[in-house]
Amino acid sequence: MFRIMAGFALDVFTLDSAREAWRSGNTASVIATPIENISLGASLEAACWAATGDAEAAKVVERWAMSFPIVAEALAALTGASSFPGAGDHDAPPHEVRACPSRSELKDASVGVEWNYFLDRFRRSLVKRLKLNTSTAWALSAALEEMADNVSEHSGLGDASKGIIAYEVSDEFFAFAVGDLGRGIRASLNENPQHDAISTDESALLAAVTCGASRRPGPNGEGFALLLRALADLEGSWAFRSGSARLTLEGRGAGARIVRPSNCLDMLGFQLSVEAQPKKSTW
């Protein structure tokens, strides 16, 4: 049964447990479990779960949103509801949530002005709040932008993808996350004849994240490789979810990653969350 003592922090893994309990009929235990904190990745995944069409699940996530503003902001960004007050163009906010940029926003700077301000604020927060150096901040923002581009290019949802993207920065850690309600990694890879034999969500995630597999024919893609390089020397963890599979990477240094695939409750789309505590790193 999904029931944890007070002080429970909801992350993407315990969210999986909550969703499994929900599917098994233990809805009362999910509703009654006291939650004192929720991670950025879990906030975006919860918003995606609420938007998949299960009205009762949506009610639970809306209850969480009453206590956790990031969940409320993620729901609003994903559904296109009225937005929350935005950060100033040149602020360094502790967190920010918005809809994923469209292809035109990503490709045309004149269209993507607000998107570029979002990336600027992420970099500024990393430098001012977490005291990262400028080159690391630029590398991380480039990795975040690449994840947004992946949603646009691979989700199969057209120019204005139904997805959300967010970051969170404190003086001890940073996190960023993306989520969409598209077709998922496996269906995307199956477009490419090189990968049309991939038949499970787990093997699709492993191929895309660890081998650079892409829906485009030709050389391996650079999207996830860029993400891993940007985070290579930082103490952190990565959680990828698509279909009925989750892939977790933990550790420091490109040669010291621990990769753990696991099963989870099937859901639309793809979600990625990253958390790191650079001040803990000895690299």
Side-chain angles (χ1 to χ4, degrees):
M1 175 168 298
F2 181 77
R3 180 72 183 176
I4 303 180
M5 295 176 61
F8 170 51
L10 189 69
D11 58 21
V12 295
F13 309 105
T14 47
L15 179 60
D16 283 342
S17 299
R19 293 174 58 233
E20 286 286 357
W22 188 265
R23 182 178 66 173
S24 301
N26 295 326
T27 56
S29 64
V30 176
I31 292 170
T33 297
I35 298 171
E36 291 199 359
N37 192 25
I38 184 167
S39 72
L40 183 67
S43 297
L44 268 60
E45 282 202 28
C48 289
W49 180 34
T52 57
D54 186 330
E56 294 303 313
K59 289 179 183 178
V60 171
V61 178
E62 287 163 4
R63 286 171 62 95
W64 294 342
M66 294 173 66
S67 301
F68 302 104
I70 291 182
V71 180
E73 292 173 40
L75 284 169
L78 188 60
T79 60
S82 57
S83 60
F84 287 73
D89 291 345
H90 306 295
D91 286 350
H95 80 271
E96 195 170 359
V97 184
R98 58 157 284 164
C100 278
S102 65
R103 287 177 188 166
S104 55
E105 286 180 282
L106 288 163
K107 305 304 181 187
D108 186 340
S110 65
V111 177
V113 171
E114 292 304 321
W115 167 244
N116 286 313
Y117 275 133
F118 177 87
L119 293 175
D120 284 345
R121 289 190 292 271
F122 178 44
R123 289 190 292 268
R124 194 174 295 111
S125 293
L126 290 170
V127 172
K128 289 190 173 183
R129 292 179 175 274
L130 192 52
K131 309 304 181 187
L132 293 186
N133 61 58
T134 302
S135 60
T136 301
W138 272 94
L140 291 171
S141 71
L144 180 59
E145 184 167 31
E146 185 66 26
M147 294 304 98
D149 185 73
N150 275 357
V151 171
S152 172
E153 293 294 328
H154 304 298
S155 66
L157 293 172
D159 180 56
S161 301
K162 192 168 185 180
I164 43 180
I165 188 163
Y167 65 81
E168 186 176 14
V169 183
S170 75
D171 60 357
E172 294 292 336
F173 78 96
F174 73 86
F176 61 77
V178 296
D180 69 64
L181 294 174
R183 59 187 171 175
I185 296 289
R186 178 160 58 96
S188 176
L189 291 184
N190 286 164
E191 278 193 7
N192 185 341
Q194 293 176 269
H195 307 304
D196 60 6
I198 292 177
S199 59
T200 68
D201 293 316
E202 180 180 313
S203 58
L205 272 177
L206 285 166
V209 175
T210 65
C211 302
S214 171
R215 72 180 180 90
R216 300 188 185 97
N220 289 341
E222 279 290 302
F224 292 120
L226 175 61
L227 173 67
L228 297 181
R229 285 198 298 271
L231 293 153
D233 294 337
L234 303 178
E235 184 94 18
S237 62
W238 300 253
F240 305 81
R241 192 216 61 81
S242 180
S244 59
R246 187 177 294 283
L247 185 67
T248 307
L249 280 71
E250 296 178 340
R252 295 171 304 181
R257 297 295 177 207
I258 300 171
V259 181
R260 295 189 179 95
S262 60
N263 295 323
C264 64
L265 188 64
D266 190 36
M267 191 172 79
L268 286 173
F270 167 76
Q271 287 87 43
L272 157 71
S273 61
V274 173
E275 297 181 3
Q277 299 180 71
K279 292 179 182 179
K280 278 192 172 184
S281 179
T282 58
W283 287 70

